[in-house]
Amino acid sequence: MNKKIPNFIFTNQFGLLCLVLIFIVIFSTVTDGFTSRFNIFALSRVIAIDIMIGLAMMVVILTGGLNLALGAIGVCAAMFGGWCMEVLEIPIIPSILLMLGMGSFLGWINGFITVKTGVHSFIVTLATMSIYFGFMTMLTEAEAFRRLPELFTDFGSAKLFNKYISPLLLVSVATCFVLFYVFRFTDIGRKLIAAGANPEAAELSGISVNRMFIYCHVLSGFLGALAAILLTTRIGAAIPSMAGQLGMDWLLPAFLAPVIGGTLLSGGKLSVFGTMLGAVLVTLLTNGLYLLDVGEFWIRFFLGIILLMAVLLDRTREYFTLRKVIVS
Amino acid sequence: MNEFCLEIRSANKSFPGVKALDQASFRLRKGSIHALLGENGAGKSTLIKIITGVHKQDSGKLFINGKEETLNNPNDATKFGISVVHQERNLIRRFSVGENLMLNNLPKTPLGLIDYDEITIKSKKWLEMMDLDIDPKTVVSELTVAKMQLCEIAKALSLKAKILLLDEPTSSLSPQESENLFTLLKKIVRDEGVSIVFVSHKLEEVFNICDDVTVLRDGENACTSEDIKNLDRQKLVRLMIGRDEQIVKSARKIKNAKDTILALRNVKTELGHRNIDLELNRSEIIGLYGLVGAGRTELMKCLIGQDKITDGDVIVNGKKVTINSPKTALEKFKIGYISEDRKKEGLILIHNVLDNTSITVWSQIRKAFGFVSDGMIANKVDSYIRQLEVKTPSNYQLISNLSGGNQQKISVAKWLAAGTDILIIDEPTVGIDIKTKAYLHELIIKLADNGTSIILISSDMPEMISLADKILVMKDFQMSGIVENDHDYDAVSSKIMEFIHT
Ligand SMILES: Nc1ncnc2c1ncn2[C@@H]1O[C@H](COP(=O)(O)OP(=O)(O)OP(=O)(O)O)[C@@H](O)[C@H]1O
Ligand SMILES: [Mg+2]
């Protein structure tokens, strides 16, 4: 009766870990400079942000939904923080808290509308993406904030562990551990997962599903803001175009990491460390291909292909989980 | 010509950690009704799934009309004229009843578009044949489990198969509906030479309609294609569970002291209930009986706040209250509801046994910062999983991999673990074998003796009469009468039927 969860060897995470190692070996043999101190440091900064973006999307995918406004939320939080620090001269820590608050609030709006209207979050966040981004552009007049406190931007360029690793990565990994703890070892985390897996059954089991869904969106906004904070310290400024038009540059990594990592698109199953490994894999791949000089277009092409494959994998995963029940 | 239209020889099938079939064999005589029996998890559904090409046997042979055949997918089986009603519902919930019924041969207009009028006409014919009063345009998700079950049987019949496999077709039906079904089955066997495999945990039904019996125990044959005339109930039970049947007779004394814990006064609901009065005392088991569609499940859903009560009073522990969600019902008033639809409302199929059984207790057992570990959960729920003898290789098995009856046990266990004051139990023993059913009945009685008040909804009349202290009969979303239950089956059941038919 008390046998433990299947061996680690058979899990999705193990497969991912192998893939990551294989790519590391390949890229460090075929490219120059993949293992250089400079490249590893640069990688660690990018990975840190991609992990955070992936986690932010993961917690909404958990509900069977999406958050297309993720990038827009991130940029709004960043610009809001830039304004706080540069114009209002609010100290760093309170500013950071305000940014996180802004992200959570925008996430809450997404969740609230989704739950109250019953419209799929795809549509809701498609709309709020434009609204948030539009508002932000209007209020900032598309001007960047470039005179941020030095202490703040120093964090993004600091180097640890013999100058190989950015502290940003530590923030992301720590976030992974916290989220893992929440989903695995707290009642609220378990309720979030249950609500995502079968809302009707969860509701009748005494879980307030609407509230759980709103929590997921708030958490998504919070993590989006956290990603934006990391990005702002990295580039040393808050720029309206930091995540591309409407913040859409974030969407590809946001989907890739969790879906590759084993989070079920229909909701109810997630893997925090899978998402982390997924982000690592994607960033490694992009970086390696850059070093191979294959050109921006091909890199996007490959990432697109990988997303498609990951989605196929998701379908088969779901098929195999449920095949025994849904026959014919 | 071969007398047997279907034969399985020494089939083996293993799943990770489970040997579902172990050298299982059986033969289906042409034009007979063949019972396939066994405890929960004995391998009945697995055998059916092999015959219909859903699963592939690891070894063993399959003969259809005397010829050895290999089935690679469900379509292959259809080609051989095999049609099936699986244990789990397989209708497309967002489609209408008519669309579902005609799915395999949708009528087309001359332009190649789907002919919806024709769908309605054709499906209506089959629904009427089943005595089913449903508009073919109704969306399936609005049907009760019993009606879905009847629709699925209608769908299988409409395919005009030569071999019909019915995996627990009567599990959610009331005796009247089952009786109609049997008349129909006997007719198609007699008139059209159809052969039927029939799985059920209700032995009366087996003796009523079956000619031959095959019993499985832990995947092995306890008897193979035996003529039913050579068996009686006792022998059959011994073959199934290896010992004699225990019959639970409620010897409860109805307490005279009135200690009303829940009362409904003149309640109206948004679903159409009117003038509902109900009184539940502490330690009492009241039964709600009625035909499919009487509004029993719906009333209970309004009570726990899933749907709205629009008028009248709900009184819990002497206080007038409003219950606006199942969460409030559970946490504030300690009222729990065990759903009849385990797949949709009871269980999370993609989660494991432990998570499913403990979903109702997370809030109770959490420590500081909401800490809940698997160990704490197992501590709390393991005893219930074991008491109900859930057959699973581990607590980490996915629910979707359990047999139907074992899934049902989990959906009951999670509410036993919750330790509520008032427990609403909707069709608790659907698909549960006779051994566990007796346990469960004992457990319900013990629960009531220890102070839990129970509202029992069941279409199983013997179950109702052996458990309930008094029985409320419902009809068309209204109460039509109360029967004090003295456990005298004939007298009580005829009183109940009177209320139903007036
Ligand atoms: N897809 C699966 N994966 C793993 N184990 C399975 C799977 N399907 C069935 N089993 C196991 O095989 C055994 C036989 O299951 P089966 O569904 O055939 O039982 P059954 O006789 O139909 O029981 P019930 O009366 O509860 O419906 C059970 O122990 C079940 O847990
Ligand atoms: Mg079965």
Side-chain angles (χ1 to χ4, degrees):
Chain A
M1 268 275 168
N2 278 320
K3 255 184 26 201
K4 266 293 163 192
I5 317 173
N7 289 335
F8 179 62
I9 311 285
F10 296 111
T11 59
N12 192 38
Q13 276 103 300
F14 184 74
L16 272 177
L17 198 61
C18 292
L19 270 184
V20 167
L21 293 178
I22 290 170
F23 278 117
I24 290 179
V25 172
I26 294 177
F27 286 134
S28 47
T29 42
V30 300
T31 68
D32 286 334
F34 184 76
T35 47
S36 69
R37 182 177 291 174
F38 172 77
N39 193 49
I40 291 182
F41 173 71
L43 260 181
S44 74
R45 294 210 301 186
V46 180
I47 287 177
I49 291 158
D50 280 356
I51 290 178
M52 205 62 94
I53 295 175
L55 294 175
M57 188 61 86
M58 178 189 78
V59 294
V60 176
I61 293 181
L62 175 65
T63 67
L66 309 166
N67 182 4
L68 297 180
L70 181 59
I73 291 179
V75 179
C76 286
M79 298 310 290
F80 178 61
W83 181 65
C84 287
M85 287 186 275
E86 192 174 308
V87 180
L88 303 183
E89 295 181 356
I90 298 174
I92 295 176
I93 300 288
S95 292
I96 287 181
L97 293 179
L98 284 171
M99 289 164 89
L100 294 174
M102 174 57 99
S104 310
F105 173 65
L106 296 180
W108 177 81
I109 294 178
N110 286 344
F112 186 78
I113 298 176
T114 307
V115 162
K116 288 295 163 197
T117 61
V119 175
H120 194 275
S121 51
F122 173 82
I123 304 292
V124 173
T125 56
L126 186 65
T128 56
M129 171 177 74
S130 302
I131 295 171
Y132 295 164
F133 204 88
F135 248 110
M136 184 277 302
T137 316
M138 203 172 73
L139 292 177
T140 61
E141 290 164 354
E143 288 293 332
F145 296 104
R146 295 180 187 280
R147 291 185 309 275
L148 301 181
E150 250 170 52
L151 197 63
F152 184 71
T153 52
D154 278 353
F155 187 72
S157 44
K159 299 176 177 180
L160 303 174
F161 301 112
N162 217 0
K163 301 195 178 165
Y164 273 107
I165 300 292
S166 160
L168 302 189
L169 186 58
L170 298 189
V171 175
S172 293
V173 173
T175 308
C176 283
F177 276 99
V178 172
L179 284 183
F180 178 76
Y181 176 84
V182 168
F183 284 117
R184 187 86 181 70
F185 291 114
T186 68
D187 66 322
I188 189 92
R190 286 169 188 270
K191 284 180 187 170
L192 293 174
I193 299 176
N198 184 347
E200 280 177 290
E203 183 78 34
L204 283 177
S205 304
I207 292 173
S208 172
V209 172
N210 282 351
R211 194 181 300 168
M212 294 304 133
F213 279 14
I214 292 180
Y215 286 168
C216 285
H217 279 277
V218 170
L219 186 56
S220 177
F222 179 91
L223 294 169
L226 201 50
I229 293 170
L230 301 186
L231 186 60
T232 314
T233 70
R234 192 186 102 198
I235 52 187
I239 310 168
S241 61
M242 65 203 288
Q245 180 58 20
L246 294 175
M248 288 204 277
D249 281 6
W250 279 17
L251 290 185
L252 198 55
F255 281 113
L256 274 170
V259 175
I260 292 177
T263 297
L264 213 54
L265 276 174
S266 49
K269 258 204 173 150
L270 53 65
S271 164
V272 174
F273 289 108
T275 301
M276 182 175 104
L277 288 170
V280 172
L281 186 70
V282 172
T283 319
L284 277 185
L285 217 59
T286 322
N287 180 264
L289 293 175
Y290 261 119
L291 292 178
L292 286 173
D293 248 346
V294 291
E296 177 78 22
F297 168 77
W298 284 106
I299 292 176
R300 282 179 179 267
F301 178 81
F302 275 124
L303 290 183
I305 296 281
I306 293 177
L307 181 58
L308 271 184
M309 288 193 327
V311 171
L312 275 179
L313 194 70
D314 175 80
R315 299 307 306 171
T316 39
R317 226 177 347 241
E318 203 187 339
Y319 177 75
F320 278 113
T321 327
L322 288 182
R323 191 170 82 126
K324 303 97 193 181
V325 202
I326 303 160
V327 284
S328 79
Chain B
M1 279 305 281
N2 196 305
E3 187 194 356
F4 301 110
C5 54
L6 185 73
E7 178 172 1
I8 301 254
R9 266 188 226 152
S10 308
N12 288 298
K13 176 76 191 174
S14 294
F15 296 107
V18 192
K19 180 125 204 185
L21 288 179
D22 190 355
Q23 302 288 345
S25 304
F26 99 116
R27 281 196 304 261
L28 177 61
R29 271 194 297 128
K30 224 171 246 173
S32 73
I33 303 185
H34 192 123
L36 184 57
L37 306 178
E39 285 179 343
N40 294 134
K44 306 178 294 294
S45 299
T46 308
L47 194 62
I48 298 247
K49 285 179 186 168
I50 285 176
I51 302 173
T52 48
V54 177
H55 288 323
K56 183 112 187 55
Q57 68 270 35
D58 302 334
S59 67
K61 290 179 177 159
L62 174 78
F63 298 85
I64 299 172
N65 293 322
K67 276 221 305 280
E68 185 175 351
E69 308 281 359
T70 321
L71 303 176
N72 292 314
N73 55 53
N75 273 338
D76 285 358
T78 318
K79 279 186 212 132
F80 285 111
I82 299 176
S83 137
V84 59
V85 177
H86 284 291
Q87 186 172 9
E88 307 296 333
R89 302 286 62 83
N90 283 304
L91 297 170
I92 303 175
R93 285 180 189 259
R94 269 179 305 172
F95 283 17
S96 73
V97 170
E99 285 164 331
N100 267 290
L101 246 62
M102 293 292 125
L103 202 59
N104 295 40
N105 40 10
L106 285 171
K108 300 269 172 67
T109 61
L111 288 175
L113 301 176
I114 293 174
D115 187 344
Y116 283 99
D117 294 338
E118 190 67 17
I119 286 188
T120 309
I121 296 167
K122 278 199 174 156
S123 51
K124 188 129 198 130
K125 193 182 95 195
W126 291 103
L127 293 174
E128 272 166 10
M129 200 170 127
M130 299 274 308
D131 241 344
L132 255 177
D133 181 25
I134 307 176
D135 180 357
K137 296 202 182 85
T138 318
V139 179
V140 165
S141 59
E142 288 169 11
L143 300 181
T144 60
V145 188
K147 283 199 171 152
M148 282 191 215
Q149 197 159 28
L150 289 167
C151 283
E152 234 172 299
I153 297 170
K155 179 179 172 184
L157 291 176
S158 77
L159 294 175
K160 300 239 166 211
K162 282 289 147 203
I163 300 175
L164 186 58
L165 310 174
L166 302 173
D167 195 349
E168 303 195 25
T170 55
S171 59
S172 304
L173 304 187
S174 68
Q176 294 76 31
E177 286 138 353
S178 305
E179 220 27 75
N180 287 343
L181 174 66
F182 296 154
T183 316
L184 206 69
L185 292 183
K186 283 181 191 158
K187 185 162 167 293
I188 61 171
V189 167
R190 194 181 56 232
D191 298 353
E192 295 164 40
V194 173
S195 320
I196 297 178
V197 177
F198 179 80
V199 180
S200 176
H201 291 292
K202 301 176 188 167
L203 295 185
E204 314 80 52
E205 299 180 347
V206 170
F207 282 104
N208 180 351
I209 63 165
C210 294
D211 307 304
D212 296 341
V213 185
T214 293
V215 179
L216 292 176
R217 246 180 100 186
D218 291 330
E220 292 175 47
N221 279 101
C223 87
T224 314
S225 314
E226 187 74 37
D227 192 330
I228 199 156
K229 295 197 194 75
N230 304 335
L231 293 163
D232 57 21
R233 185 181 173 104
Q234 214 182 6
K235 276 190 198 150
L236 207 51
V237 169
R238 247 185 250 146
L239 285 173
M240 284 164 64
I241 68 179
R243 59 171 170 74
D244 287 334
E245 185 176 14
Q246 286 167 337
I247 304 207
V248 180
K249 271 262 183 299
S250 171
R252 287 158 45 76
K253 281 183 267 25
I254 303 170
K255 296 202 181 87
N256 290 326
K258 251 194 157 189
D259 182 7
T260 309
I261 181 163
L262 171 77
L264 302 184
R265 301 238 190 279
N266 206 7
V267 158
K268 243 191 207 157
T269 73
E270 61 171 354
L271 301 180
H273 298 89
R274 310 168 298 281
N275 312 327
I276 300 283
D277 284 295
L278 179 153
E279 213 161 89
L280 177 66
N281 292 317
R282 193 175 304 281
S283 269
E284 188 179 40
I285 304 176
I286 61 173
L288 281 184
Y289 196 84
L291 295 185
V292 170
R296 296 169 294 165
T297 297
E298 291 84 353
L299 178 63
M300 291 301 113
K301 285 212 176 136
C302 292
L303 173 59
I304 58 167
Q306 177 82 344
D307 293 298
K308 281 201 186 63
I309 287 179
T310 47
D311 200 11
D313 297 337
V314 178
I315 296 157
V316 178
N317 278 325
K319 271 200 238 46
K320 224 184 113 179
V321 301
T322 313
I323 302 173
N324 48 27
S325 75
K327 181 179 156 74
T328 324
L330 172 63
E331 289 177 3
K332 204 156 159 215
F333 303 110
K334 303 200 81 184
I335 304 176
Y337 169 69
I338 305 181
S339 170
E340 59 168 341
D341 188 347
R342 60 168 177 260
K343 190 165 154 188
K344 179 160 156 245
E345 302 177 339
L347 298 168
I348 297 175
L349 297 172
I350 58 171
H351 290 173
N352 65 31
V353 169
L354 206 55
D355 285 343
N356 269 281
T357 323
S358 60
I359 185 166
T360 51
V361 302
W362 294 332
S363 303
Q364 288 175 28
I365 62 175
R366 67 166 176 222
K367 299 217 171 102
F369 302 109
F371 181 77
V372 173
S373 71
D374 281 2
M376 286 157 59
I377 289 176
N379 249 342
K380 176 88 186 172
V381 300
D382 225 9
S383 58
Y384 298 98
I385 298 176
R386 250 180 283 126
Q387 255 178 51
L388 292 176
E389 299 198 345
V390 176
K391 197 176 164 198
T392 167
S394 90
N395 277 352
Y396 296 95
Q397 177 74 297
L398 293 187
I399 291 290
S400 58
N401 288 346
L402 297 188
S403 80
N406 284 300
Q407 291 182 5
Q408 180 64 24
K409 293 182 198 171
I410 298 291
S411 73
V412 174
K414 78 179 211 195
W415 281 105
L416 296 180
T420 53
D421 289 342
I422 299 174
L423 194 55
I424 303 161
I425 311 182
D426 200 347
E427 307 287 359
T429 52
V430 167
I432 285 191
D433 64 41
I434 48 171
K435 184 165 134 205
T436 315
K437 195 167 168 178
Y439 272 149
L440 203 59
H441 286 175
E442 266 171 33
L443 214 66
I444 290 174
I445 289 171
K446 205 157 78 191
L447 222 56
D449 286 343
N450 290 338
T452 309
S453 313
I454 292 169
I455 300 178
L456 174 72
I457 301 179
S458 177
S459 302
D460 182 338
M461 182 94 75
E463 171 168 287
M464 187 59 100
I465 293 176
S466 75
L467 290 180
D469 299 324
K470 69 182 184 222
I471 298 168
L472 311 187
V473 183
M474 270 183 87
K475 194 179 161 185
D476 296 333
F477 288 68
Q478 272 177 304
M479 291 293 175
S480 69
I482 300 183
V483 181
E484 288 298 334
N485 187 6
D486 54 10
H487 305 289
D488 173 355
Y489 187 85
D490 293 329
V492 175
S493 65
S494 68
K495 263 190 225 155
I496 292 177
M497 294 321 294
E498 245 169 62
F499 280 123
I500 283 181
H501 291 300
T502 46

